[in-house]
Amino acid sequence: MQNIAIVIPSLNPDEKLLDVVGSVLSKGFKTIIVVNDGSSSEYDKYFEHIRKHKECVVLRHYKNLGKGRALKTAFNYFLNTYPEHIGLITVDADNQHHIDDIVNCAKALEANFLSSNKD
């Protein structure tokens, strides 16, 4: 899972965002891209907390551009910054996706990558 990034778009998050980040960190993911999609300054504390982890990067839109644009921002950053990675997984900031499902998705991505690159 070291060559798979986690992308988390977020607008005006709460403690659940920290739970999501903590869960993916605990499972060994080494690249976490969080997009602050124009959150109010009262939510800066959550993004500052995330920045303390060396595995995390926080990208910021100065105004809300929507989840689709936040994902595109993260995808562009990913493609330009992590050419050695095999892919990424998008995760909601509200803890909607269970960590076991995220890990299973990562395992399937790794297996698919390995089977398609056997040559």
Side-chain angles (χ1 to χ4, degrees):
M1 287 183 268
Q2 292 187 8
N3 286 333
I4 296 174
I6 300 295
V7 171
I8 309 170
S10 182
L11 173 65
N12 298 334
D14 57 20
E15 294 289 329
K16 292 176 187 173
L17 174 60
L18 301 181
D19 293 341
V20 172
V21 171
S23 292
V24 295
L25 285 170
S26 74
K27 293 298 182 179
F29 289 94
K30 301 294 185 202
T31 306
I32 302 166
I33 304 166
V34 176
V35 181
N36 174 352
D37 188 26
S39 298
S40 302
S41 60
E42 65 191 83
Y43 300 95
D44 287 349
K45 63 184 177 184
Y46 298 109
F47 299 107
E48 289 304 319
H49 181 77
I50 291 166
R51 277 189 185 95
K52 293 177 184 177
H53 299 282
K54 68 180 184 328
E55 299 89 348
C56 299
V57 63
V58 177
L59 307 176
R60 181 173 186 223
H61 292 164
Y62 285 91
K63 69 176 197 169
N64 177 247
L65 299 176
K67 184 177 182 178
R69 181 69 250 173
L71 289 172
K72 288 179 182 180
T73 295
F75 296 164
N76 186 62
Y77 179 83
F78 170 80
L79 290 169
N80 284 296
T81 309
Y82 303 103
E84 72 285 357
H85 280 44
I86 63 171
L88 55 81
I89 299 168
T90 62
V91 177
D92 284 348
D94 62 0
N95 217 1
Q96 177 179 335
H97 300 105
H98 193 275
I99 189 62
D100 292 339
D101 295 329
I102 297 166
V103 170
N104 288 337
C105 187
K107 288 178 181 177
L109 178 58
E110 287 176 332
N112 185 51
F113 178 80
L114 292 172
S115 70
S116 65
N117 290 293
K118 284 186 176 180
D119 299 335

